[in-house]
Amino acid sequence: MKIEHVFFDLDHTLWDFEKNSDLAFQKIFTEQNITIDIDSFLYVYKPLNREFWRLYREEKISKEDLRYQRLKTAFDKINFSVSDTLINKIAIDYIDYLPHFNHLFNYTFDILDYLKEKYRLHIITNGFQEIQTKKMKSSNIFNYFENVITSESVGVKKPNPKVFHHALKLANATANSSIMIGDSIEADIKGALNIGMEVLHCNFENEMIQTKDFNSIKSLIEIKQYL
């Protein structure tokens, strides 16, 4: 069946999470006079953040635990003493500041302009509901999308099939007329494949992929080869 609906992930797919996150932390560390090397902190923090997000996605920790523990554990690992009060302040400021940085991956506007003439566009994201819309509006991509589905609005997270079925129902779409484009093999690609959607994996870091069950791209502009 012909593809009619294109569903995108947001973070790490269109919106350059790592770059924007780095800038948010730089601003916070300056404001709070945190006297540690920002690069050393981020080197430890980033893999921890990915691990805590995995636990959050698997319903093993709460949103509040995610926000606190990723910071507490990172500071502990670099032997930097910090109070719970400051950790909570950093956590709040991070969520406040993050959406106001608006770096997108190369060719985001080119590909969205190309796709909007041929398809109906939507977002499915595991990101926190209160900031995803702010991110999209700040980076001027919000109006490209008919629907923005957050996992929080559904009550479960990708790759749970309920998220994808809810998104399809909201978009008045069927699985075999839809494609999911995202960076996470577990959340985006396997989740969408499991309900019969087409998929396209964003492998911007050029990581080794062990399976050939799906196509991968190294740049958003390559979407034109498939759609």
Side-chain angles (χ1 to χ4, degrees):
M1 189 171 178
K2 182 186 173 202
I3 296 296
E4 299 175 1
H5 297 265
V6 179
F7 293 84
F8 278 97
D9 178 44
L10 182 60
D11 296 332
H12 306 283
T13 299
L14 298 173
W15 197 81
D16 192 341
F17 178 89
E18 297 297 346
K19 182 179 288 188
N20 295 321
S21 177
D22 289 358
L23 292 169
F25 275 121
Q26 288 171 18
K27 180 176 181 179
I28 291 167
F29 276 36
T30 299
E31 288 182 350
Q32 298 298 327
N33 295 312
I34 298 174
T35 57
I36 55 175
D37 179 63
I38 185 70
D39 291 332
S40 298
F41 171 81
L42 292 172
Y43 180 79
V44 171
Y45 171 83
K46 288 181 180 181
L48 287 171
N49 185 47
R50 287 192 291 270
E51 176 62 16
F52 280 112
W53 265 101
R54 181 187 66 80
L55 294 172
Y56 176 68
R57 188 173 67 238
E58 295 174 358
E59 312 284 352
K60 294 178 179 177
I61 60 172
S62 66
K63 181 201 297 188
E64 291 72 23
D65 286 337
L66 165 65
R67 290 176 171 177
Y68 174 83
Q69 292 294 342
R70 61 185 178 183
L71 292 168
K72 172 64 174 171
T73 307
F75 283 121
D76 285 349
K77 279 187 172 291
I78 58 176
N79 296 313
F80 186 81
S81 180
V82 58
S83 68
D84 282 353
T85 300
L86 182 55
I87 289 176
N88 289 325
K89 172 65 174 169
I90 294 170
I92 291 169
D93 286 349
Y94 179 77
I95 296 300
D96 286 342
Y97 294 166
L98 185 62
H100 298 289
F101 295 99
N102 54 21
H103 291 279
L104 301 168
F105 285 106
N106 289 338
Y107 305 111
T108 293
F109 288 112
D110 302 77
I111 202 63
L112 291 179
D113 283 333
Y114 167 78
L115 291 172
K116 74 176 183 179
E117 300 300 326
K118 304 168 66 177
Y119 306 96
R120 296 171 62 185
L121 309 183
H122 317 275
I123 292 283
I124 309 178
T125 173
N126 274 353
F128 299 141
Q129 187 166 351
E130 68 265 32
I131 66 172
Q132 296 303 76
T133 298
K134 292 179 183 178
K135 289 177 182 178
M136 296 173 67
K137 288 183 175 179
S138 175
S139 56
N140 295 316
I141 62 172
F142 181 77
N143 289 332
Y144 283 96
F145 300 97
E146 292 186 26
N147 296 286
V148 178
I149 297 94
T150 66
S151 60
E152 283 189 309
S153 70
V154 186
V156 293
K157 304 168 189 68
K158 294 180 293 183
N160 192 306
K162 289 182 181 179
V163 177
F164 296 95
H165 286 306
H166 177 79
L168 292 174
K169 183 177 180 180
L170 201 61
N172 194 26
T174 60
N176 58 4
S177 68
S178 304
I179 186 169
M180 179 73 202
I181 302 175
D183 71 291
S184 172
I185 293 176
E186 185 66 30
D188 300 315
I189 304 307
K190 290 183 179 179
L193 283 173
N194 285 340
I195 69 156
M197 294 174 70
E198 293 290 327
V199 298
L200 194 54
H201 175 233
C202 295
N203 186 15
F204 299 154
E205 301 297 325
N206 198 24
E207 297 176 357
M208 290 294 295
I209 306 296
Q210 299 300 321
T211 178
K212 295 184 178 179
D213 292 340
F214 50 82
N215 293 313
S216 292
I217 56 174
K218 298 176 184 177
S219 168
L220 287 171
I221 203 67
E222 294 177 32
I223 292 173
K224 287 185 177 183
Q225 299 173 21
Y226 299 93
L227 293 171

